[in-house]
Amino acid sequence: MAAFAIVMMVCLVLIHGGQCKGVFNAAEALHKAKDAENGDVGPDVKAFNVLDYGAKSDGKTDTSINFRRTFEAACNFHGDAMMVIPEGEFLMGPVLFSGPCSNPSLLIIQVNGIVKAQSNMAYYRGGGDDTDWITFQAIDGLIVSGRGTFHGQGSQVWGFNDCARKSNCVRLPATLKFIKVTDAIIRGIKSIDPKGFHIMISMSRNFRIVSVDLQAPGDSPNTDGIHMSKSDLVKISKTVIATGDDCVSMIHGSTNISIKKVICGPGHGFSIGSLGHYDDEADVSGIIVKNCSLRETDNGVRIKTYKTDSPSKASGIIFQDLIMTRVRNPIIIDQEYGNTKYSQPSKVRISDVHYINIRGTSASKVAVDLLCSASNPCQGIHLDNVNLQYAGPPNDDMPFSSNCRNARVAYHGFQSPPPCR
């Protein structure tokens, strides 16, 4: 009650400027996102249609400035607002949608059309962290919802990706980037063939990603489905991810992440890491991946760290109730990821990791592979009812097994493959 009174007092101070959005109610926000997808937002929400700001839906005319002007009008409106991208095809180069916004409630971006990215890399100044395709920045309260599609036209530029040959490569532009965004709902949209990541989240808090569809070929390079760093309270559910890299990747500073009812494949599975890549990395903790399925992915659930002297921790991790179908590396910890030329062991400490009710089939004979650091052995690794069966090539006489190095593992219930000796 006292906390509510404080919030109301702050709102009274700020209400004249239209800046107070009150306490974020996730259930109400999700309901509002569903209403926005169906176009049922009520008369109190003012619509700002990109067509009214000069955008052409012919799929040929660049609409970047028209989209930016529409967003600025909606963002600066001192009332409930919705930016509308109607049915049709819109061509657009890189755009920054930046706050803070003046709306008293969550700003809605309703996407029902097809938004296609400029394919010429000259528009993106070579890609990299300062030029993604569509960036939402410094916004408190955001809904992106609808039945529309973001098409990155990545197939025309994937050949420029040199990350397989260079460790310090320049990544290609992400389709949707959220940086310093709080209290956000992403619902219903589809992303096809991004140049880089489908969705990138950084320095953000309190995200819900629900019922999105992310699609790219299995051989598309570095097209992570959802990639996050330095972010807290991210919940992903009822989502389909087929891509050429990690379905969901959580790197440094990812905390309190929930991934439930996600279908992954093709792709590289659910990954924590790579960790230990940068100096002074923030810890990773509070991760749960539950009730998900993976089909013919390169990995199932993976924790990966570099062999560097950058210390951090990864702890409080639960992988539970997962179904795997012909997954190449179903359960894997790799603390020698990438840096084969470095002799020092990884300084990342991995602890309190639980694998519970993992079942299905493995495409490799080593279905559980725990390769931990010699100087920082994995602590508190628990395998509880793991039931994986081999479904790979029949001409391999190698036994179906587990491999453990520098890992302290406790086993509970049924175990297939057999526990490490």
Side-chain angles (χ1 to χ4, degrees):
M1 189 66 181
F4 178 77
I6 292 172
V7 170
M8 290 305 295
M9 190 179 301
V10 173
C11 281
L12 288 172
V13 172
L14 295 178
I15 196 71
H16 181 70
Q19 296 294 319
C20 186
K21 293 181 172 61
V23 177
F24 178 73
N25 184 309
E28 289 183 2
L30 285 166
H31 185 73
K32 190 173 184 178
K34 185 176 181 180
D35 288 344
E37 181 179 331
N38 297 323
D40 185 21
V41 295
D44 295 334
V45 179
K46 181 175 175 58
F48 294 81
N49 194 311
V50 296
L51 296 177
D52 296 332
Y53 289 80
K56 304 296 183 184
S57 59
D58 57 11
K60 300 177 181 179
T61 306
D62 190 288
T63 61
S64 304
I65 191 169
N66 312 102
F67 272 58
R68 187 164 55 248
R69 287 172 176 168
T70 309
F71 173 84
E72 289 172 354
C75 177
N76 292 321
F77 181 65
H78 289 265
D80 295 342
M82 178 172 70
M83 174 179 171
V84 177
I85 304 172
E87 293 183 4
E89 188 172 303
F90 301 88
L91 181 66
M92 192 170 72
V95 169
L96 172 62
F97 296 141
S98 185
C101 293
S102 302
N103 320 111
S105 64
L106 285 75
L107 173 63
I108 301 170
I109 312 294
Q110 183 199 55
V111 186
N112 284 331
I114 299 172
V115 186
K116 297 184 73 172
Q118 289 281 6
S119 58
N120 189 337
M121 286 302 295
Y123 281 88
Y124 305 88
R125 300 194 300 274
D129 287 339
D130 57 350
T131 307
D132 289 283
W133 180 25
I134 301 171
T135 300
F136 294 90
Q137 177 177 290
I139 300 173
D140 179 11
L142 177 69
I143 290 174
V144 179
S145 183
R147 301 185 182 91
T149 298
F150 294 95
H151 198 308
Q153 301 208 83
S155 61
Q156 300 187 42
V157 301
W158 288 330
F160 295 114
N161 186 300
D162 58 359
C163 291
R165 302 184 300 274
K166 294 170 59 178
S167 60
N168 293 322
C169 61
V170 176
R171 65 173 181 82
L172 296 180
T175 287
L176 296 174
K177 180 178 179 179
F178 301 89
I179 182 167
K180 297 181 180 179
V181 174
T182 61
D183 298 344
I185 305 287
I186 316 300
R187 189 186 192 281
I189 61 169
K190 186 172 185 177
S191 171
I192 298 175
D193 291 357
K195 292 177 173 62
F197 305 147
H198 286 273
I199 297 174
M200 182 177 182
I201 303 169
S202 184
M203 293 183 280
S204 297
R205 188 177 189 276
N206 215 1
F207 251 78
R208 305 290 191 279
I209 299 176
V210 183
S211 301
V212 303
D213 187 1
L214 311 178
Q215 299 288 328
D219 59 354
S220 56
N222 297 107
T223 53
D224 293 45
I226 301 170
H227 176 87
M228 69 188 81
S229 66
K230 303 177 187 176
S231 295
D232 181 54
L233 284 174
V234 178
K235 296 186 177 183
I236 304 165
S237 63
K238 301 177 183 178
T239 286
V240 177
I241 305 175
T243 192
D245 210 295
D246 296 328
C247 287
V248 181
S249 53
M250 297 154 276
I251 64 171
H252 57 96
S254 297
T255 57
N256 300 308
I257 311 300
S258 170
I259 302 167
K260 297 182 178 180
K261 297 182 180 179
V262 171
I263 299 172
C264 169
H268 294 180
F270 301 105
S271 288
I272 297 172
S274 305
L275 306 178
H277 190 82
Y278 306 102
D279 294 333
D280 302 318
E281 286 190 354
D283 296 340
V284 171
S285 65
I287 310 295
I288 181 166
V289 180
K290 186 176 181 180
N291 290 328
C292 298
S293 63
L294 303 98
R295 185 176 184 85
E296 297 183 342
T297 53
D298 279 5
N299 304 290
V301 288
R302 175 171 58 164
I303 304 173
K304 51 181 178 174
T305 76
Y306 282 103
K307 291 172 61 178
T308 66
D309 57 1
S310 299
S312 64
K313 298 176 183 177
S315 62
I317 300 164
I318 298 173
F319 301 110
Q320 182 175 355
D321 299 331
L322 307 181
I323 299 174
M324 303 193 182
T325 304
R326 294 186 296 278
V327 172
R328 186 175 173 188
N329 299 297
I331 296 174
I332 181 169
I333 295 177
D334 183 1
Q335 292 208 259
E336 295 185 358
Y337 180 76
N339 299 85
T340 55
K341 65 179 181 180
Y342 293 105
S343 59
Q344 76 268 33
S346 171
K347 295 295 191 299
V348 178
R349 293 183 179 273
I350 298 173
S351 64
D352 190 22
V353 183
H354 297 258
Y355 303 90
I356 305 169
N357 297 333
I358 313 294
R359 60 189 175 92
T361 55
S362 170
S364 63
K365 283 294 184 73
V366 180
V368 178
D369 195 1
L370 309 178
L371 176 55
C372 298
S373 169
S375 64
N376 298 281
C378 296
Q379 306 280 342
I381 310 298
H382 297 264
L383 273 72
D384 188 344
N385 287 323
V386 175
N387 186 359
L388 296 168
Q389 304 300 322
Y390 179 62
N395 58 348
D396 188 348
D397 295 331
M398 179 180 169
F400 191 50
S401 64
S402 303
N403 177 50
C404 306
R405 189 194 307 173
N406 305 316
R408 299 179 183 177
V409 185
Y411 295 94
H412 314 273
F414 185 81
Q415 297 294 326
S416 176
C420 292
R421 295 179 180 178

